[in-house]
Amino acid sequence: KEGANVTVAGLVIRRQKPLATAVFITLEDEHGHIPIVVWPNVYKCYRSVLHEPIIKVNGIVSRREGTLSVVMDNAESIIPTVRHTPQSHDWC
């Protein structure tokens, strides 16, 4: 629901910073892809965490123009218990 507080977690499969000011991250879990929007002031605080391979994100659901995304408030790394995790493709 629009404006709902949510917590999501997954493997970071994409980081993008197009000409917009926001950074866009896509997480993947067993249900599919989760688009995350990170505004510059939040990105500054969590830059190192957002480069980890598996993260947990707290944020607010945003539904605009037929899309659903999570606007990030904070994030934390989830230390993987496996020996190897795939690398994300960075477009930044």
Side-chain angles (χ1 to χ4, degrees):
K1 190 173 184 180
E2 172 73 25
N5 288 311
V6 294
T7 300
V8 296
L11 177 68
V12 178
I13 60 167
R14 185 179 306 119
R15 293 179 193 89
Q16 294 178 289
K17 187 172 194 255
L19 297 177
T21 58
V23 172
F24 299 94
I25 296 174
T26 303
L27 300 182
E28 184 175 31
D29 68 6
E30 67 271 14
H31 300 289
H33 293 172
I34 307 161
I36 309 293
V37 177
V38 187
W39 293 112
N41 59 330
V42 176
Y43 182 78
K44 282 182 191 177
C45 295
Y46 295 96
R47 179 180 307 169
S48 62
V49 171
L50 296 176
H51 285 278
E52 293 291 326
I54 303 172
I55 60 173
K56 179 170 81 170
V57 171
N58 296 308
I60 298 173
V61 172
S62 174
R63 291 181 174 268
R64 296 186 186 227
E65 300 175 13
T67 64
L68 180 141
S69 57
V70 175
V71 179
M72 188 181 108
D73 288 329
N74 60 68
E76 65 184 80
S77 174
I78 298 175
I79 299 171
T81 57
V82 295
R83 291 180 184 221
H84 174 73
T85 55
Q87 295 297 310
S88 64
H89 190 97
D90 293 340
W91 297 97
C92 301

